[in-house]
Amino acid sequence: MQTRYSYGGDEHIFVEMDEEMSLEAFFKSMSITNAVRAARIEGITEICPANGSFQIKFDPDRIAPDALMGALQALEQAAEQADKRLETRIIEVPVFYRDPWTTETLRRFRERHQDPQSTDLDYAARMNGYDTVEQFIHAHHAAPWFVSMVGFVAGLPFLYQLVERSRQIQVPKYLRPRTDTPKHTIGHGGCFGCVYSVRGAGGYQMFGITPMPIYDPTQKVSYLREFMVFFRPGDIVKWKPIDREEYDAITADVAANRYEPRIRKVTFDLDGFNADIDGTNQRLMETLHGV
């Protein structure tokens, strides 16, 4: 990886680990930003991590830009030797694929899509070499996903599939953005999946919807009372296919404050993952289900 530093005006430094997203870039960025927080460098006012990159906001009256740049480069050298293990969570997220709400929405915006005659799932299946939508849906939920960033829209997670690069789902965004996307839509654009935390505009292909709230500024949802945003960078997500009956049951449980997501603590070892991807994913599934 070739790290690139650049100034963004008088108060920002942008640091990019690599031109492409990778778990290695994420872990390096995480190590540096953790070290920056721990160092408590005078003059830094905000740290904003992203997908294998981060931005630092600083007060130039308290620290000279060149001095801050030098401090970041020194921390980068130390990050090269940092432990590539992460204490995190694996979370099961229910997904209603081919739901009526995203289906109705995609039909309203077909003129903005690459293939107006198909659905988003049909198009994604074909673009990824699958013969049927069922095969594609299985590929989408069979392996876990890694939350590489939370943001852009409040509480929205970006997810990176934990499989070999050759097997990762790749599909472009709509040709032109939609003006509407249902809340809790499971979307995909490029190599990233996402969950739309609120209703609004969007351009990612729409595969389904989850009944599980992930953002609640009122903090009335039982599992969001301590913090309004559910996902954290480094979380691992396993999609669970559900049908309409299960969707309605979970929705009722959420409304009655009875629903609690399945969450387990887990250690993710990047070196171990790269050495045995399928074995690592199997162990993650065993942890999730208490095997």
Side-chain angles (χ1 to χ4, degrees), residues 48-232:
C48 182
N51 294 316
S53 63
F54 62 92
Q55 182 171 274
I56 300 288
K57 184 177 181 181
F58 64 97
D59 183 347
D61 293 330
R62 296 165 61 194
I63 184 170
D66 289 346
L68 176 55
M69 183 77 79
L72 292 175
Q73 291 171 339
L75 290 173
E76 179 194 354
Q77 294 179 1
E80 296 284 357
Q81 309 303 319
D83 188 6
K84 294 181 177 61
R85 288 181 296 180
L86 177 66
E87 299 300 323
T88 186
R89 310 180 296 175
I90 183 166
I91 305 157
E92 187 173 77
V93 177
V95 180
F96 182 14
Y97 291 97
R98 290 188 283 200
D99 66 280
W101 305 283
T102 60
T103 298
E104 185 276 332
T105 302
L106 67 86
R107 286 173 178 164
R108 284 192 282 123
F109 293 98
R110 288 331 277 167
E111 80 284 356
R112 306 186 183 202
H113 195 273
Q114 291 87 345
D115 186 356
Q117 303 306 313
S118 72
T119 68
D120 293 8
L121 278 167
D122 288 329
Y123 176 71
R126 189 169 65 254
M127 290 295 293
N128 286 273
Y130 292 98
D131 294 330
T132 66
V133 168
E134 287 72 19
Q135 291 175 350
F136 175 79
I137 289 175
H138 181 267
H140 186 265
H141 72 73
W145 296 66
F146 189 90
V147 177
S148 58
M149 171 182 166
V150 179
F152 182 71
V153 174
L156 184 151
F158 288 85
L159 303 108
Y160 187 79
Q161 197 174 25
L162 291 175
V163 294
E164 295 89 346
R165 284 288 185 94
S166 62
R167 292 169 51 200
Q168 284 182 340
I169 291 171
Q170 298 271 351
V171 62
K173 298 188 291 185
Y174 275 45
L175 294 175
R176 291 186 293 126
R178 300 177 302 273
T179 56
D180 189 24
T181 307
K183 184 179 180 180
H184 300 154
T185 290
I186 307 300
H188 198 99
C191 69
F192 289 107
C194 81
V195 184
Y196 283 79
S197 53
V198 297
R199 183 177 182 178
Y204 276 22
Q205 307 287 336
M206 297 181 291
F207 297 161
I209 202 164
T210 179
M212 177 181 145
I214 63 167
Y215 171 66
D216 179 21
T218 69
Q219 294 182 265
K220 294 179 180 178
V221 174
S222 59
Y223 55 88
L224 293 174
R225 285 175 179 158
E226 293 185 5
F227 195 60
M228 68 180 71
V229 174
F230 180 72
F231 286 111
R232 311 166 190 165

